[in-house]
């Protein structure tokens, strides 16, 4: 039997009745764009995050682009981010007319390196520093970036802070005031609801979260043609709206999100324990950070051998991401070269994402781990995990 990397069909079974009811209402009311479903989801997701406002948009890329535009970023500006992420992070910056500037990552987490960021900002001349308007940290793999330190640097250098939380629905960061949700600590937090996310729609979708009323107002305008009323427009905005069907699906899944995230943490803990004797190194949250484990990522110098073994045994896996952004053809005009960001390049060469979703069962976890072992160790030295542990995992499954 194939072990799925993501199991959306199992998710859909859990929400089928609720979504079916909501879809019947949408169709009977023929209310497909905006309206009750979108407004309710925005309010419910804001409550979940503990933030004042959430504004739905068409996708996660638009969320970052529109958030930056709402904060005044535009042509001639520069925005600092990392090269170890999906291209949408940098593409969103480019689409505002600004120029991405990269800093390297912390190899232990894959997230923005605080020393690298500070070194970059302090190396700039006064004129160069004026061009830098914002920082976009990425909460990679569902593991939040060091937001407390990033907020301090943003304040020190008078920069806007926009969180790419597209993989971090429900992840948390410890602050002086307690645990706070990823996506709520900057000037704006940006989410993607692509189907494979922890909170995923049945198509594309995204949202911007903020505690700033003026940012919320401008995001609302920019995402809906700059509209004040049906035929009155304050500015030339975009057509980037979350539709009612996606909002209905997201509302149903939001009710399950905390439970599903906790199951992901149980699975991550099992992976960590079972993989401990092997030459693989999971990327795990440091103290004060609570990952939502959008992905479970391991590092190994024998990454390709492990990947081949998994695929040959019908176990889906992935590489996130094989080519850092500074080496992508689309961004060659920025002038970066191989070796410019060694930690990002090393991560790209050694990481592998194992199956991770809330409906993964204990025997699937065990089979995955044993296949990893088979790629690393001779047959007579293979590590065999205790199947009792796998059975205990099954009892913790949401649909056990």
């Amino acid at each position: 039997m194939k072990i799925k990397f993501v199991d959306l069909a199992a998710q859909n079974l859990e929400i089928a009745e609720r979504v079916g009811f909501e879809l019947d209402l949408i169709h009977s009311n023929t209310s497909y764009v905006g309206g009750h479903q979108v407004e309710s989801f925005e309010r419910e997701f804001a409550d979940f995050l503990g933030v004042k406002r959430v504004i739905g948009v068409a996708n996660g890329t638009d969320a970052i682009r529109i958030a930056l535009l709402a904060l005044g970023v535009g042509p001639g500006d520069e925005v600092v981010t990392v090269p170890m992420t999906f291209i949408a992070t940098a593409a969103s910056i480019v689409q505002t007319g600004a120029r991405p500037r990269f800093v390297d990552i912390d190899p232990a987490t894959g997230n923005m390196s605080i020393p690298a960021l500070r070194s970059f900002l302090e190396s700039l001349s006064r004129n160069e520093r004026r061009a830098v308007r914002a920082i976009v940290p990425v909460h990679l793999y569902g593991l939040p970036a060091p937001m407390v330190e990033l907020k301090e640097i943003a304040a020190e250098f008078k920069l806007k802070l926009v969180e790419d939380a597209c993989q971090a629905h429900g992840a948390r960061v410890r602050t002086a005031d307690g645990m706070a949700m990823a996506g709520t600590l900057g000037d704006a937090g940006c989410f993607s609801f692509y189907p494979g996310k922890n909170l995923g729609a049945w198509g594309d979708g995204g949202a911007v979260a903020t505690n700033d009323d003026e940012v919320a107002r401008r995001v609302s305008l920019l995402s809906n043609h700059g509209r004040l009323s049906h035929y009155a427009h304050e500015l030339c905005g975009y057509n980037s709206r979350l539709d009612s069907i996606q909002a209905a699906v997201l509302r149903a899944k939001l009710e399950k999100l905390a439970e599903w995230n906790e199951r992901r943490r149980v699975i991550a803990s099992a992976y960590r324990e079972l993989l401990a004797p092997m030459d693989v190194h999971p990327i795990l949250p440091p103290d004060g950070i609570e990952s939502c484990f959008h992905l479970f990522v391991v590092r190994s110098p024998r990454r390709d051998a492990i990947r081949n073994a998994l695929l040959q045994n019908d176990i889906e896996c992935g590489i996130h991401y094989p080519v850092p952004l500074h080496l992508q053809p689309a961004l060659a005009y920025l002038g970066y070269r191989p070796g410019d960001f060694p930690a990002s390049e090393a991560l790209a060469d050694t990481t592998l994402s194992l199956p991770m979703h809330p409906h993964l069962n204990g025997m699937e976890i065990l089979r995955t781990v044993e296949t990893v072992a088979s790629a690393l160790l001779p047959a007579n030295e293979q590590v065999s995990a205790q199947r009792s542990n796998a059975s205990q995992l099954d009892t913790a499954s949401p649909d056990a």
Side-chain angles (χ1 to χ4, degrees), residues 53 85 110 222 332:
R53 290 288 306 279
T85 179
L222 286 162

Side-chain angles (χ1 to χ4, degrees), residues 137-151:
V138 179
H139 303 318
L140 195 66
Y141 312 141
L143 175 61
M147 287 303 301
V148 173
E149 296 90 340
L150 286 165
K151 280 177 67 78

